[in-house]
Amino acid sequence: IVLTGGDDRLWKTWGFPDGNILLTGEGHTDWLSGCCFRPSGTQLVTSSGDTTVRLWDLSRSGCILTLRGHSRAVRGCSWHSCGDFVASASADGTSKIWDVNSERCRYTLRGHKGSVNSIEFLPFSSTVVTSSADKTLSLWDVR
């Protein structure tokens, strides 16, 4: 199964080798910049130009949580390997760590001087790496 998102504001899961669409989700009001499966495989997270991060339940193809807090487009998203946290990177120059159980922002990471364009948790750690339009990479300890 492959997961995609695009300018059509939709995410899609595709089966292979046939390439058929298995599921489609809609709800964002602008382009999708990122999408990522939860480590358990039962949910996914998407990021969008509409400034939101959304969690989706694959069994219902529906949005179960919308995370708001960025003031500009969200450029990327990532799940922590434990499945309890989501990271987001934004054109507003910040990144956020979201606790999906409490449905709130746990940390806002500030320090880049430009748009934060990508974010990833390092596997099985509390370290996040971000890349920015300011031509830097940053490592963050989010404990």
Side-chain angles (χ1 to χ4, degrees), residues 19-83:
N20 53 319
I21 296 173
L22 303 174
L23 294 171
T24 300
E26 60 181 296
H28 281 290
T29 59
D30 209 338
W31 46 271
L32 269 66
S33 56
C35 46
C36 183
F37 284 110
R38 188 174 194 160
S40 66
T42 60
Q43 295 175 340
L44 59 94
V45 64
T46 56
S47 54
S48 172
D50 68 10
T51 74
T52 68
V53 176
R54 293 182 182 238
L55 274 64
W56 306 82
D57 185 308
L58 291 174
S59 65
R60 297 184 305 198
S61 301
C63 179
I64 58 172
L65 179 61
T66 301
L67 301 169
R68 292 179 174 87
H70 287 293
S71 61
R72 295 187 60 202
V74 183
R75 309 284 291 163
C77 56
S78 173
W79 281 100
H80 185 273
S81 53
C82 73

Side-chain angles (χ1 to χ4, degrees), residues 97 107 109 121 125-129 138-143:
I97 307 299
Y107 305 107
L109 309 175
F121 281 101
S125 78
S126 59
T127 303
V128 173
V129 62
S138 293
L139 291 172
W140 310 82
D141 184 344
V142 295
R143 280 182 286 183

